[in-house]
Amino acid sequence: MSENVVHLHKDTTMGGEAVTRLTIVPDPAAPVPLPAPPVRVPLWVRSGRAVRRAVTHENTTAAARAAARHSLYVVGGARIVGHRAWDGRTAARYERYMRTAEAAGNMELAAEWEERGQRYREARHRRRMDLLTSPIDAAKGIAAGTGMGIGGLVALGIVMAVATKDVTDVVTPLMATVEFINLLITIVQVVWGPLVSIGPFLALLALWAVGSKQQAAPQWALPATVRTSDGEPITPSIVVKALRDLGVPALRNAIKEMGDAGASMLGPIRIAGCGVEVDVTLPSGVSTNEVQQRRRKLAENLTRHEHEVFITIPEAARTVRLWVADSGALDEPIGPSPLVTDESMTADYAKGRAPWGQDLRGDAAALSLYQRHLLITGLSNQGKTVALRSLALWLALDKSVQFLMGDLKGVGDWAMFDGVATTLIQGPTDEHVIQVTEMVEGAVDEMNRRLMAPPGTVFPALIVLVDEAQVAFMCPLKDEDGRYYGGSKATSRYFMAVRKIHNQGRAVNVLMWQGTQDPTDQNLPKLVREGAHTRASLALGTESQARMALGDKAVDGGAAPNLLRPGLDKGTLVVASDGIALPKGQSSITVRTHYISTDDAKAIADRAKALRDGVTTLTIIECGADRDPLADIAAVLGDAARVLTADVLKRLSALSEDAYGTWTPGDLKRVLEDAGAEPYKSDGRMVVGRERVARALANRDGDGSASASQ
């Protein structure tokens, strides 16, 4: 133990006062303490860790899987060879084929296989009876053959002896034969030993080759396969394997029991547009909805994405129809619309069909609009307006058709119909909803007038088109009598006007077309959606919305707009209508619509205007009057918290072309900055905030009231 040395010092301060100081220093002769030795991990712990790392190492697991795989190939090969031998020696294969036919409900084929099996048993019985007498027959044959052989050799020896004049040549052929037989025995004796030693290894190698070719090992032992994005070609074996691994026990067991491994379930695989199509007859005990509910798993089993596989129910009982797209084909755009490429095209409301796009087979999808109310719905920004507008553009090329249009978005998507439609209302505000409601009620009056005409009177088509109709249904305003403009009650004005047209308008060619987004029972009442003859839906969020859009029958038959990919499947519609050619037994069809840009739409609308004598379009909101820019900006913002400045300019231009048609973003910014509601950036884009504009209006009105009171 180290010791310390104590030193005492006497010092004198500056004032002459004596002070004693004590200093403690360590003894230099004391030993320096050694650091504590490091803690050593026991050997058995380190060994255990090393063993665990070695066992779990990637190379170790790969080697273990390879060893297990190749060992199991031998076992699987033996099972396959044994199965083949059993099939060859027994009537098992005929029994399997008969059960397969019975499971498919084909009793004639089952009876045929039973008859074939009986014939096989009879032939096998005859062969076995022949074996009873075969030893005697074989002995007689050997004796006769041996006698003839020896006699022939002796005769040959006699001929040789006469020729050579040597009597010993009589037995020369016989002795040569004996020596040849002795040589064969010697060869067999030499080869037999190595053959017995090598034979088992050759047998194992043969079994391994059979097992490896058939991949007869568990999935965990098989090597990992890297799939390319191109997918695999659709073959019968791939379809059957995908169905077997679908997770339906009854289907899996039925396929295992089928003698042809499930091939009898499949119809011919047909090329259908950018994919293939095959009908699958399900075995007894498996329902079609069990397959429909597993669409994603089936698609992955077929090495496809979910959106590349469509499951529908054809006319045949207990059958599903699979359409499988070529990998990536649905992401390729389709060609331009004939409305754009054929400038001489005209329309015929009564007999013609609107070129809308292509079905999944690649065939042209054309829709008849004659006396059919129309409803198109879907999520926002999926191509609803473009799809609806393309139908209106085609029909506008029939100069006898009249249009009443209400665009409750108000960004100019329908502005090209100015000069085509007799009424065109554009804007998202409650005031616009009131005017659209009055427009629809005016169409009801026209319908009633036509209904009073003599029977047999033919009237031109009157299309009442409302885009973003959910805005009308959700409008909270009341009129002076206390009736709501929106809603879905018997006192709701817009709802009742639409219902009246649905009930009686078709008979006198007054038709209701509506476009809505994100349907619910509140913004798209049941009676309204069920009143449409043609119902189409873009991508939706849930199956319940799909049922609202298309009806239960279409969804139960395989229609699934909720499985379309928002943003990626823009313009792809699921259509339920008798106005379009549907595959036999199906209640809906998927259509990829042509995209018609705004510029192309303007060109087509100009052609429609040239066919007409000149239509004066009533826009309801009068232009040219003195306007309040800030109040108009607040009006076009509607209920949105913020709107892009570009969209605000479009809405202002639609509200008053004379007042705001020449406005630039700088003009809008100047007005808002002067009012204290300057635009700001949101997600990197300039927007106008509704709260700022409302506050600026309130402050301005408050200042005006204060000045007036003074």
Side-chain angles (χ1 to χ4, degrees):
M1 181 176 179
S2 62
E3 297 181 355
N4 297 328
V5 180
V6 178
H7 297 276
L8 297 177
H9 303 276
K10 290 185 178 180
D11 294 332
T12 303
T13 63
M14 294 179 64
E17 184 179 355
V19 178
T20 303
R21 296 181 179 177
L22 184 143
T23 304
I24 301 176
V25 298
D27 187 0
V32 179
L34 297 175
V39 179
R40 295 183 61 83
V41 179
L43 179 62
W44 64 271
V45 174
R46 286 181 289 164
S47 301
R49 291 175 180 174
V51 170
R52 185 181 64 181
R53 284 195 298 269
V55 170
T56 59
H57 193 271
E58 182 179 354
N59 293 340
T60 305
T61 57
R65 288 175 63 246
R69 177 169 65 252
H70 292 289
S71 300
L72 292 171
Y73 279 163
V74 176
V75 177
R79 179 178 55 81
I80 294 171
V81 170
H83 187 72
R84 292 173 179 174
W86 178 259
D87 283 349
R89 301 295 298 173
T90 67
R93 78 161 55 117
Y94 299 98
E95 295 289 341
R96 284 201 308 274
Y97 292 157
M98 185 173 65
R99 288 197 300 269
T100 300
E102 290 176 348
N106 193 339
M107 293 301 144
E108 291 185 9
L109 185 60
E112 181 181 347
W113 281 115
E114 185 179 13
E115 183 181 353
R116 291 184 181 183
Q118 188 62 32
R119 289 201 300 267
Y120 171 81
R121 292 186 183 93
E122 292 175 357
R124 183 180 61 184
H125 177 71
R126 287 195 299 270
R127 290 193 302 271
R128 288 176 177 176
M129 295 302 296
D130 292 340
L131 289 176
L132 297 177
T133 59
S134 60
I136 299 174
D137 296 338
K140 291 180 179 179
I142 291 172
T146 303
M148 292 178 63
I150 293 175
L153 292 174
V154 172
L156 178 62
I158 293 172
V159 172
M160 292 177 61
V162 171
T164 59
K165 297 181 174 55
D166 187 357
V167 71
T168 59
D169 286 341
V170 173
V171 295
T172 298
L174 187 61
M175 295 306 297
T177 303
V178 171
E179 290 177 359
F180 177 72
I181 294 174
N182 186 44
L183 176 62
L184 291 179
I185 293 173
T186 303
I187 293 173
V188 170
Q189 289 176 343
V190 172
V191 174
W192 182 253
L195 187 63
V196 170
S197 302
I198 299 174
F201 296 101
L202 295 177
L204 290 176
L205 182 61
L207 295 177
W208 176 89
V210 173
S212 63
K213 184 177 181 180
Q214 298 293 329
Q215 295 286 288
Q219 190 65 37
W220 60 266
L222 294 176
T225 57
V226 180
R227 300 191 183 276
T228 64
S229 59
D230 295 337
E232 295 179 358
I234 301 302
T235 62
S237 60
I238 287 178
V239 175
V240 172
K241 185 176 182 299
L243 293 169
R244 185 196 67 193
D245 299 337
L246 203 54
V248 182
L251 181 59
R252 181 179 62 250
N253 295 334
I255 292 175
K256 287 182 178 179
E257 292 176 359
M258 293 179 182
D260 56 359
S264 60
M265 297 192 308
L266 306 183
I269 297 179
R270 304 175 296 273
I271 296 177
C274 57
V276 296
E277 186 178 76
V278 60
D279 287 352
V280 181
T281 302
L282 300 176
S284 178
V286 182
S287 63
T288 54
N289 67 331
E290 288 182 285
V291 178
Q292 282 184 302
Q293 292 169 358
R294 293 168 171 82
R295 177 183 173 188
R296 173 176 293 181
K297 190 170 185 179
L298 178 61
E300 292 172 351
N301 289 348
L302 294 169
T303 65
R304 295 295 190 273
H305 295 293
E306 184 179 12
H307 71 277
E308 294 175 328
V309 174
F310 288 81
I311 306 172
T312 54
I313 309 299
E315 192 174 26
R318 211 171 69 234
T319 302
V320 293
R321 179 168 293 162
L322 307 181
W323 185 86
V324 185
D326 297 336
S327 186
L330 294 183
D331 296 326
E332 298 293 330
I334 64 174
S337 170
L339 289 172
V340 177
T341 58
D342 185 3
E343 296 185 358
S344 62
M345 175 176 283
T346 58
D348 187 338
Y349 161 71
K351 300 179 181 178
R353 290 177 177 264
W356 212 8
Q358 294 179 0
D359 62 15
L360 297 180
R361 292 170 170 268
D363 299 330
L367 180 67
S368 173
L369 303 173
Y370 179 66
Q371 292 188 345
R372 289 178 176 87
H373 301 302
L374 176 67
L375 172 66
I376 299 180
T377 187
L379 297 178
S380 177
N381 196 31
Q382 298 304 309
K384 168 182 54 63
T385 297
V386 173
L388 182 60
R389 187 176 66 186
S390 65
L391 297 177
L393 287 169
W394 176 80
L395 198 55
L397 296 177
D398 183 343
K399 63 181 181 180
S400 66
V401 178
Q402 303 171 9
F403 291 94
L404 301 177
M405 291 186 169
D407 174 18
L408 293 177
K409 185 192 298 182
V411 296
D413 289 335
W414 297 88
M416 69 287 300
F417 281 87
D418 190 352
V420 176
T422 54
T423 300
L424 177 60
I425 302 169
Q426 302 179 88
T429 66
D430 292 337
E431 181 65 25
H432 293 94
V433 172
I434 294 172
Q435 295 168 1
V436 167
T437 302
E438 293 173 348
M439 177 190 76
V440 178
E441 289 173 338
V444 174
D445 295 338
E446 171 63 15
M447 177 189 71
N448 292 332
R449 184 189 67 79
R450 294 183 178 189
L451 290 171
M452 298 300 292
T457 305
V458 178
F459 297 98
L462 175 61
I463 307 299
V464 185
L465 188 153
V466 179
D467 194 13
E468 305 296 342
Q470 76 279 355
V471 177
F473 285 114
M474 300 300 291
C475 180
L477 294 186
K478 294 181 180 180
D479 62 11
E480 59 274 7
D481 297 328
R483 297 176 60 196
Y484 284 102
Y485 286 96
S488 58
K489 297 182 179 179
T491 57
S492 301
R493 291 180 58 178
Y494 180 80
F495 169 75
M496 289 305 299
V498 172
R499 287 291 300 138
K500 290 175 182 177
I501 295 177
H502 278 174
N503 290 338
Q504 296 179 302
R506 188 183 68 85
V508 289
N509 286 329
V510 177
L511 303 178
M512 191 75 207
W513 290 11
Q514 295 184 97
T516 70
Q517 63 176 255
D518 202 10
T520 64
D521 284 327
Q522 289 72 37
N523 64 24
L524 187 59
K526 181 178 180 181
L527 292 177
V528 170
R529 59 182 185 251
E530 291 185 351
H533 302 99
T534 297
R535 300 166 71 172
S537 175
L538 296 112
L540 288 173
T542 64
E543 182 180 326
S544 62
Q545 287 185 317
R547 293 184 181 275
M548 290 181 189
L550 300 176
D552 292 335
K553 181 180 180 181
V555 175
D556 291 338
N562 53 300
L563 297 182
L564 295 175
R565 302 166 298 166
L568 297 177
D569 290 326
K570 282 187 177 183
T572 300
L573 287 161
V574 182
V575 185
S577 172
D578 61 351
I580 194 169
L582 297 175
K584 190 175 182 180
Q586 294 183 208
S587 55
S588 66
I589 188 172
T590 301
V591 176
R592 303 173 68 198
T593 59
H594 295 294
Y595 174 73
I596 300 178
S597 67
T598 302
D599 292 338
D600 290 333
K602 290 178 180 178
I604 298 169
D606 290 339
R607 285 157 44 195
K609 294 173 188 177
L611 295 175
R612 299 166 187 260
D613 295 334
V615 176
T616 301
T617 300
L618 178 63
T619 59
I620 303 298
I621 298 178
E622 297 298 332
C623 300
D626 293 337
R627 310 202 63 90
D628 182 349
L630 191 60
D632 287 344
I633 292 171
V636 299
L637 289 177
D639 295 331
R642 54 185 177 272
V643 178
L644 294 174
T645 55
D647 290 343
V648 173
L649 288 172
K650 290 181 182 179
R651 295 180 184 182
L652 287 173
S653 179
L655 182 65
S656 176
E657 182 70 21
D658 293 344
Y660 305 114
T662 60
W663 268 34
T664 65
D667 297 326
L668 177 63
K669 181 180 179 182
R670 184 186 67 255
V671 170
L672 291 173
E673 285 180 345
D674 292 342
E678 59 274 8
Y680 61 97
K681 278 192 175 183
S682 175
D683 294 333
R685 304 182 69 181
M686 296 301 295
V687 298
V688 178
R690 178 173 58 84
E691 185 177 348
R692 292 188 179 187
V693 174
R695 189 186 308 117
L697 272 175
N699 293 337
R700 188 188 67 178
D701 294 341
D703 293 342
S705 300
S707 300
S709 63
Q710 292 175 0

